[in-house]
């Protein structure tokens, strides 16, 4: 059947609107709901199905005053037509996406005030190239960022590396920053200029979803980590620290954006740098995503003024 301006199966022709009506009725199994979803009359739905059935030569639906169901032939047609219809729709969406280029909307996720400020600078530069593309900066929790990027709720997000997900890719490293240890005021470590990674085994560490201590604490021969209480958000974690229930390893930007009278931040002298980059699905490298990543790279590493990097107390990644 060949779909004229639509899909193909055998020698018969099925119009695009016939395929749409048939597949919608197969899903709803109700003429009224099908008509409402397609914004046509119920009579138009019935007429379209009868015309299609005459062409096929057998009924596609069992109909009673109270019940609608697919016949065996109707089910077979549905099972063969549905994948082709979905494929056609996906092809059209990809063509539209390519044609739109730098228009529409781009949703960018962040999980900290520092990341939000950096993204604001990138968005400003991006809009100069793509004034018809709206940038929507979306706040989320750190452990929810990758799931929402995978699901399509956000197009990309600014987060720390590494990202343990084969379906995601990332752009150039934008920022490298030192680690600090958030401690309750008065803790003996706060009298030091810095601590070492091994010292973290001597204090309970507040846990955050999706947050793991840095690598020196996880290698062979490393002292065991003492787990402290669990928090759902960074503010909650810092509250627990201030209450003396543990310590929290964090990026250096935390001491600027989350100062508290009950907490001191002490540098961790031998911890590896915390690396930040934009992350997105590998199969959704659209023109909008590509242009936004380029704007971020240009802002941090190019000749554009980049107050955002210094504002978050981080070091731009050297090239």
């Amino acid at each position: 059947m060949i779909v004229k301006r639509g899909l193909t199966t055998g020698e018969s022709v099925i119009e695009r609107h016939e395929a749409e009506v048939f597949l919608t009725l197969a899903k709803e199994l109700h003429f009224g709901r099908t008509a409402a979803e397609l914004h046509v009359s119920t009579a138009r739905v019935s007429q379209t199905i009868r015309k299609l059935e005459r062409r096929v030569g057998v009924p596609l639906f069992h109909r009673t005053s109270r019940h609608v169901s697919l016949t065996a032939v109707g089910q077979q047609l549905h099972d063969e037509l549905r994948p082709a219809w979905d494929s056609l729709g996906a092809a059209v969406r990809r063509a539209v996406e390519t044609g739109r280029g730098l228009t529409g909307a781009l949703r960018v996720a962040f999980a900290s005030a520092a990341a939000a400020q950096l993204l604001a600078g990138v968005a400003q530069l991006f809009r100069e190239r793509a004034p018809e593309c709206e940038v929507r900066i979306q706040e989320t929790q750190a452990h929810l960022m990758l799931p929402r990027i995978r699901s399509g709720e956000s197009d990309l997000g600014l987060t720390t590396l590494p990202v343990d997900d084969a379906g995601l890719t990332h752009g150039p490293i934008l920022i490298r920053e030192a680690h600090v240890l958030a401690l309750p005021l008065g803790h003996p470590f706060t009298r030091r200029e810095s601590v070492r990674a091994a010292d973290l085994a001597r204090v309970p560490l507040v846990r955050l979803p999706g947050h793991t201590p840095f690598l020196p604490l996880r290698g062979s021969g490393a002292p065991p980590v003492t787990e402290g209480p669990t928090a759902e958000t960074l503010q909650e974690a810092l509250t627990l620290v201030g209450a003396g229930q543990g310590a929290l390893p964090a990026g250096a930007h935390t001491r600027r954006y989350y100062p508290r009278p009950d907490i001191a931040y002490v540098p961790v002298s031998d911890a590896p740098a915390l690396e930040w980059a934009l992350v997105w699905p590998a199969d959704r490298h659209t023109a909008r995503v590509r242009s936004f990543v380029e704007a971020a790279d240009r802002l941090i590493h190019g000749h554009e003024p980049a107050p955002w990097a210094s504002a978050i107390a981080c070091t731009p990644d050297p090239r």
Side-chain angles (χ1 to χ4, degrees):
M1 179 177 287
I2 302 170
V3 176
K4 191 179 184 180
R5 299 184 298 277
L7 305 170
T8 292
T9 85
E11 297 299 331
S12 300
V13 175
I14 179 171
E15 301 281 353
R16 187 189 67 82
H17 77 277
E18 291 175 330
E20 187 173 29
V21 169
F22 169 76
L23 291 171
T24 304
L25 183 57
K27 178 186 70 172
E28 296 292 343
L29 296 177
H30 190 281
F31 281 81
R33 289 196 298 269
T34 298
E37 181 170 334
L38 298 178
H39 304 289
V40 298
S41 67
T42 303
R44 177 66 181 274
V45 174
S46 298
Q47 180 185 25
T48 301
I49 294 300
R50 285 196 301 270
K51 180 180 177 182
L52 184 57
E53 288 177 327
R54 286 196 298 270
R55 188 173 307 122
V56 173
V58 294
L60 299 174
F61 293 90
H62 296 298
R63 308 170 180 77
T64 69
S65 59
R66 297 184 178 181
H67 184 70
V68 177
S69 62
L70 284 163
T71 65
V73 175
Q75 186 66 57
Q76 177 185 342
L77 178 60
H78 172 273
D79 293 347
E80 294 181 0
L81 190 59
R82 180 84 259 177
W85 181 258
D86 291 342
S87 178
L88 177 64
V92 171
R93 286 191 296 273
R94 286 192 295 270
V96 169
E97 176 70 25
T98 301
R100 290 173 66 183
L102 297 178
T103 61
L106 184 70
R107 300 157 300 174
V108 189
F110 72 94
S112 72
Q117 188 173 12
L118 177 59
L119 289 176
V122 177
Q124 181 178 345
L125 186 60
F126 170 79
R127 290 190 193 100
E128 294 176 6
R129 179 181 175 188
E132 296 183 5
C133 184
E134 177 188 3
V135 178
R136 299 174 186 168
I137 300 178
Q138 306 169 321
E139 184 176 15
T140 186
Q141 296 297 329
H143 67 286
L144 298 177
M145 180 177 294
L146 299 187
R148 72 179 294 142
I149 292 173
R150 284 193 299 267
S151 70
E153 292 178 76
S154 297
D155 297 299
L156 70 169
L158 181 61
T159 188
T160 55
L161 301 179
V163 173
D164 187 18
D165 190 317
L168 299 179
T169 188
H170 65 82
I173 296 169
L174 299 175
I175 298 293
R176 282 189 170 96
E177 65 172 334
H179 271 92
V180 297
L181 185 64
L183 291 158
L185 207 62
H187 189 281
F189 284 175
T190 62
R191 295 193 289 271
R192 301 185 187 181
E193 291 187 2
S194 65
V195 295
R196 297 182 64 83
D199 292 327
L200 272 68
R202 299 166 55 189
V203 292
L205 299 182
V206 177
R207 292 173 293 166
L208 279 166
H211 176 83
T212 55
F214 34 76
L215 294 179
L217 296 177
R218 300 171 64 82
S220 175
V225 174
T226 302
E227 294 189 350
T230 299
E232 290 297 319
T233 67
L234 177 58
Q235 289 287 12
E236 183 181 347
L238 294 175
T239 299
L240 292 172
V241 171
Q245 297 187 37
L248 181 72
H253 74 274
T254 311
R255 60 188 171 189
R256 179 185 179 104
Y257 280 86
Y258 302 94
R260 295 176 57 115
D262 55 348
I263 286 178
Y265 293 99
V266 180
V268 184
S269 60
D270 60 342
L274 194 61
E275 298 178 332
W276 293 78
L278 287 165
V279 174
W280 66 94
D283 61 351
R284 289 182 233 155
H285 193 54
T286 65
R288 291 192 293 269
V289 168
R290 184 167 58 251
S291 183
F292 193 86
V293 172
E294 289 171 355
D297 189 37
R298 194 162 69 252
L299 180 68
I300 300 300
H301 301 121
H303 301 294
E304 306 292 339
W308 313 100
S310 60
I312 62 175
C314 298
T315 303
D317 180 42
R319 288 296 175 90

